[in-house]
């Protein structure tokens, strides 16, 4: 059922995030201050509770537009893209606490400076489309606002390091 599929996708997303935290990410204080842990935890736990409640509710109504499976496939592609970017970024730092920051290169970075955020946002757009949950759309919108702020800040830094980065956008190809 759509409900079961989207419950599994929801769980898979957060399991992926936890595995990346342990095995892929290399954090430094400037990029992940302690205060962000609390903000991120409140954000994710609050929305997870609301989305989970409505998704697991016995009266959950799946969408009737027929896009549940294509949206799930597109979501999976976005999750893989997000992982690929996180992996590439992790190879750019030598160890935990390394604060050096080179401008990322390669096909995933050809249109935007922060494709990890792009994949994350588009993944949640497809999730929201396929699950038909209004709370998921709210989660996506809040995530877009926060990641836009981060992406614009990083993009400005990348432009400072290499003015050629002006040719691409921060987050959404050709737009933002």
């Amino acid at each position: 059922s759509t409900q079961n599929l989207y419950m599994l996708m929801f769980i898979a997303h957060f399991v992926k995030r936890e595995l990346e935290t342990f095995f892929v990410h290399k954090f430094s204080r400037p990029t992940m201050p302690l205060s962000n842990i609390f903000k991120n935890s409140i954000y994710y736990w609050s929305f997870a509770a609301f989305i989970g409640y409505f998704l697991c509710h016995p009266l959950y109504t799946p969408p009737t537009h027929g896009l549940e499976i294509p949206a799930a496939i597109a979501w999976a592609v976005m999750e893989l893209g997000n992982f690929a970017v996180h992996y590439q970024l992790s190879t750019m730092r030598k160890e935990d606490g390394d604060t050096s920051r080179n401008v990322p290169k390669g096909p995933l970075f050809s249109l935007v400076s922060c494709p990890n955020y792009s994949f994350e946002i588009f993944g949640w757009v497809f999730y929201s489309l396929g699950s038909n949950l209004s709370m998921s759309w709210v989660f996506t919108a809040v995530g877009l606002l926060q990641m836009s702020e981060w992406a614009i800040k990083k993009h400005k830094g990348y432009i400072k390091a290499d003015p050629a980065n002006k040719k691409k956008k921060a987050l959404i190809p050709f737009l933002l």
Side-chain angles (χ1 to χ4, degrees), residues 106-122:
L108 296 172
F109 293 88
S110 62
L111 298 175
V112 295
S113 289
C114 300
N116 50 325
Y117 299 153
S118 305
F119 284 120
E120 179 87 8
I121 290 162
F122 289 128

Side-chain angles (χ1 to χ4, degrees), residues 125-138:
V125 166
F126 289 120
Y127 184 91
S128 300
L129 182 65
S131 68
N132 198 38
L133 292 170
S134 57
M135 190 50 78
S136 182
W137 284 110
V138 173

Side-chain angles (χ1 to χ4, degrees), residues 130-161:
S131 68
N132 198 38
L133 292 170
S134 57
M135 190 50 78
S136 182
W137 284 110
V138 173
F139 176 76
T140 303
V142 172
L144 172 63
L145 291 173
Q146 179 62 70
M147 286 183 247
S148 295
E149 181 183 318
W150 292 337
I152 289 166
K153 184 177 177 184
K154 286 184 181 186
H155 185 62
K156 286 178 182 175
Y158 291 155
I159 289 171
K160 226 185 245 187

Side-chain angles (χ1 to χ4, degrees), residues 1-100:
S1 76
T2 298
Q3 187 177 29
N4 290 335
L5 173 62
Y6 279 80
M7 280 192 282
L8 286 173
M9 290 165 54
F10 191 73
I11 293 166
H13 171 79
F14 289 105
V15 167
K16 177 186 98 48
R17 285 188 64 97
E18 292 299 320
L19 291 172
E20 285 178 349
T21 298
F22 287 113
F23 301 111
V24 177
H25 294 300
K26 293 181 179 142
F27 296 109
S28 69
R29 288 271 183 236
T31 61
M32 182 58 79
L34 190 58
S35 63
N36 276 13
I37 292 172
F38 298 108
K39 186 167 85 171
N40 288 349
S41 295
I42 290 168
Y43 168 72
Y44 283 114
W45 280 97
S46 299
F47 277 108
F50 282 113
I51 292 170
Y53 174 80
F54 291 108
L55 182 61
C56 297
H57 197 280
L59 297 177
Y60 168 77
T61 305
T64 57
H65 51 51
L67 297 174
E68 301 87 344
I69 299 301
I73 293 167
W75 171 86
V77 170
M78 296 299 112
E79 289 289 304
L80 290 171
N82 180 268
F83 171 76
V85 173
H86 285 162
Y87 180 76
Q88 181 177 342
L89 290 172
S90 78
T91 63
M92 294 174 64
R93 288 204 172 152
K94 298 187 185 352
E95 60 191 34
D96 279 347
D98 180 7
T99 59
S100 63

